[in-house]
Amino acid sequence: MKKDGVKANFIYNLIYNIVNIIVPLVTAPYTARVLGAENIGIYSYTYAIVSSVVMFGALGTATYGQKEIASAGENIVERSEKFLEIWVLKAVTMVIAFLIFVPYAYQTTAWIYYALQIPYIVAGVFDISFFFQGIEKFRYIAVRNTIVRIAGIVLLFSLVKSSNDLWIYLLIISVSQLLGNLSMWPYLRGNICRVKLTTRNVMKHLSNVMIYFIPSITYQIYAVLDKAMLGWLVGSNYENGYYEQANKIVNLVVNVISSYTIVMRSRMSALFAQKRNEEIQEKMAVSYNVIAFLVFPMTFGIAAIAAGMVPWFFGDGYDAVIGLLYIFCPIFIFMGYSRMIGTHILTPSGRQQHSNYAQIIAAVVNITLNSLLIPRFFAKGAAVASVTAELVLVLVYYYMVRKEILLKQVIEMGWKKAIAAGIMFVFVFTIGKNFSISIFYTFVEILIGAIVYVIVLVVLRDAFVCKYIDKTFHKILGQRRK
């Protein structure tokens, strides 16, 4: 079985992740105006609970499954056994989680909104993206899901017309997720073979799945529990709506990072399994540059365009989102490096328990700060808690791998990119003051920022950027000569 290259998989996974986030992001300006902040808050709160059900049902099968499939390599029998065993285990635990959730949902006043999102829970059962991530075939995930998501957008704009159509909005989101996951199953043909399934072999994965469940819990705390605690401690759908919209933008940007780290997790898992230490160090050196190249312009870029983007993007009544984005900006740097350490070293090398300890510490910090800050500062308090927890996570991660990652090397490969991003911020923020608020000028700012960022890196002679520019020019000149 021929694997796709890291670059190709990065692009495919980037498409997949961006599509998953960009659907609600593209539709956000429309839904914000049509449904209103209160309905968005209802969606945010109920979706947070439903996502928690999916998380507890799936346990740690996503990360663990990807690692196990990648470690099986070209052995189709071993790969098929691991896939079937892990998926059956996941299906059983998802059903158990659903049966526990139903009585809770039925006794709440929002039971109808929970019922409309049942297809989202069913989608969790049929999510086998871990298999294709493990065999490094990300294009299977990307292409089909993109088609289904586009269909969802068409239905949204066609059917959601007023604040009374929240139920249609929820149904479209949940059903599109289900169809997207079901669409991946036909691609299993040729990648697995018929194998024998036993209860003993299924249950042998349970302990490891529980170990890999800890990152899922901490992710849920960062991504969902903040919104749930806003509902519990503040009781304001408006605050939840502001936080939800800010999170949509943050998640879109973070997914660019995740697209790279998830691809590298499969590759690094295979390298660690084969003990190819020299190649591991080579991949790490590349990632130092890639992560730095991405996170610094993300951080400074969002800060530069937030004030000009939010008003036209979400419409009237969402000015609070601007302040939340300012608070969230440093999270891109912290998450970039923490995910690199987790997906490149700790998880592939079998040290998931070490990663769990770090994530538990960060989760405790997040919950504690949420409890202290949300009652006083509302959505801003939740944002501060999330950013601080991510800072704690990356610091603990670095301490764990301090003998494997040279801080001097990380700084050496990142300082020029940080300076270039800072200069880009000053330039974009200054000219942005002279622009009127519109989608056109936001894209102009993004384009100008990208050009300034690359030019400054060239002036500073950043080795990573100059290498790829030279390589691109040589390709172009070579094609012209032909």
Side-chain angles (χ1 to χ4, degrees):
M1 178 184 66
K2 184 179 179 182
K3 297 180 179 179
D4 295 331
V6 171
K7 291 181 181 178
N9 280 324
F10 169 61
I11 294 173
Y12 285 124
N13 199 38
L14 180 63
I15 293 171
Y16 168 68
N17 281 289
I18 288 180
V19 167
N20 279 343
I21 295 298
I22 212 170
V23 169
L25 190 60
V26 165
T27 57
Y30 180 76
T31 56
R33 291 169 174 81
V34 173
L35 297 177
E38 185 173 6
N39 277 335
I40 293 296
I42 293 172
Y43 155 72
S44 176
Y45 178 73
T46 56
Y47 178 76
I49 302 299
V50 171
S51 295
S52 297
V53 175
V54 174
M55 177 199 70
F56 280 99
L59 298 177
T61 53
T63 303
Y64 174 71
Q66 180 186 0
K67 176 182 177 297
E68 288 298 293
I69 297 299
S71 299
E74 300 297 325
N75 190 327
I76 190 171
V77 175
E78 181 182 356
R79 184 168 69 234
S80 303
E81 289 174 343
K82 287 184 174 181
F83 163 71
L84 187 58
E85 292 161 4
I86 293 171
W87 179 77
V88 169
L89 177 62
K90 175 185 177 181
V92 171
T93 54
M94 284 289 297
V95 171
I96 294 173
F98 175 72
L99 293 176
I100 295 173
F101 165 69
V102 170
Y104 162 79
Y106 185 72
Q107 68 181 355
T108 66
T109 57
W111 68 268
I112 184 64
Y113 301 115
Y114 289 124
L116 290 167
Q117 295 178 79
I118 287 177
Y120 187 86
I121 299 176
V122 178
V125 177
F126 293 100
D127 182 8
I128 55 172
S129 56
F130 72 87
F131 176 81
F132 297 104
Q133 290 169 348
I135 65 173
E136 300 186 43
K137 293 290 185 181
F138 289 83
R139 69 175 183 271
Y140 292 157
I141 306 172
V143 175
R144 294 284 292 189
N145 272 274
T146 300
I147 296 172
V148 172
R149 299 294 188 178
I150 291 174
I153 293 177
V154 174
L155 289 173
L156 175 65
F157 285 116
S158 301
L159 302 177
V160 178
K161 299 295 184 180
S162 72
S163 59
N164 296 322
D165 293 334
L166 175 61
W167 68 275
I168 300 177
Y169 178 62
L170 294 175
L171 198 59
I172 290 172
I173 291 176
S174 60
V175 172
S176 65
Q177 182 71 31
L178 175 59
L179 293 177
N181 289 350
L182 289 173
S183 69
M184 293 187 286
W185 280 77
Y187 291 110
L188 285 174
R189 184 177 300 174
N191 289 304
I192 61 173
C193 62
R194 188 182 297 274
V195 293
K196 184 179 180 180
L197 181 69
T198 65
T199 303
R200 182 180 179 181
N201 287 339
V202 171
M203 296 306 295
K204 74 180 181 182
H205 295 285
L206 183 59
S207 60
N208 285 326
V209 165
M210 293 303 294
I211 292 174
Y212 282 82
F213 182 43
I214 301 298
S216 298
I217 295 176
T218 55
Y219 170 79
Q220 202 75 351
I221 288 173
Y222 299 147
V224 176
L225 189 57
D226 288 346
K227 290 175 277 189
M229 291 184 74
L230 273 170
W232 299 334
L233 299 176
V234 178
S236 169
N237 287 328
Y238 291 98
E239 287 293 318
N240 236 321
Y242 301 145
Y243 194 82
E244 170 70 15
Q245 303 298 46
N247 253 321
K248 286 178 181 177
I249 296 176
V250 171
N251 288 337
L252 174 63
V253 178
V254 168
N255 266 268
V256 177
I257 301 171
S258 299
S259 298
Y260 177 75
T261 56
I262 290 175
V263 167
M264 288 303 297
R265 183 167 60 198
S266 295
R267 182 59 57 91
M268 297 299 281
S269 294
L271 293 178
F272 271 103
Q274 298 164 17
K275 297 181 179 180
R276 293 158 63 179
N277 295 326
E278 284 190 20
E279 193 169 349
I280 289 173
Q281 293 303 317
E282 291 174 0
K283 297 296 183 184
M284 287 301 303
V286 172
S287 290
Y288 296 155
N289 272 304
V290 173
I291 294 299
F293 182 78
L294 293 174
V295 298
F296 289 113
M298 289 175 179
T299 298
F300 289 100
I302 291 295
I305 68 172
M309 180 184 69
V310 169
W312 67 260
F313 197 92
F314 295 116
D316 296 333
Y318 288 92
D319 290 344
V321 175
I322 299 173
L324 291 175
L325 288 177
Y326 289 149
I327 295 172
F328 271 124
C329 281
I331 206 170
F332 304 125
I333 297 174
F334 306 148
M335 292 184 76
Y337 285 105
S338 67
R339 292 191 179 194
M340 180 189 72
I341 295 172
T343 59
H344 287 46
I345 300 177
L346 294 176
T347 298
S349 64
R351 286 176 282 175
Q352 186 61 45
Q353 286 186 318
H354 291 78
S355 178
N356 291 349
Y357 297 145
Q359 296 194 43
I360 289 172
I361 293 171
V364 171
V365 170
N366 198 346
I367 293 173
T368 302
L369 290 179
N370 275 336
S371 301
L372 295 173
L373 298 177
I374 287 177
R376 184 175 180 181
F377 300 105
F378 308 132
K380 288 183 178 179
V384 171
S386 292
V387 173
T388 305
E390 284 294 341
L391 171 60
V392 170
L393 179 62
V394 73
L395 291 176
V396 176
Y397 265 180
Y398 172 71
Y399 180 79
M400 290 179 171
V401 299
R402 63 192 183 280
K403 294 181 180 180
E404 299 166 70
I405 291 182
L406 297 176
L407 183 59
K408 180 180 179 181
Q409 189 178 18
V410 175
I411 295 174
E412 181 182 344
M413 295 182 178
W415 71 268
K416 292 180 180 179
K417 299 172 182 68
I419 290 176
I423 294 174
M424 176 198 73
F425 167 79
V426 173
F427 198 90
V428 173
F429 188 78
T430 301
I431 64 172
K433 292 181 179 179
N434 300 316
F435 289 161
S436 59
I437 295 175
S438 71
I439 183 173
F440 172 76
Y441 284 115
T442 295
F443 280 101
V444 169
E445 289 175 356
I446 294 172
L447 179 60
I448 292 174
I451 293 172
V452 170
Y453 180 62
V454 173
I455 289 176
V456 174
L457 286 176
V458 172
V459 171
L460 293 175
R461 299 300 299 168
D462 181 83
F464 176 73
V465 172
C466 290
K467 173 185 175 182
Y468 279 94
I469 290 177
D470 290 342
K471 189 176 180 180
T472 301
F473 277 128
H474 280 112
K475 283 185 177 180
I476 295 173
L477 291 175
Q479 289 177 353
R480 286 183 176 179
R481 287 172 182 173
K482 290 180 181 180

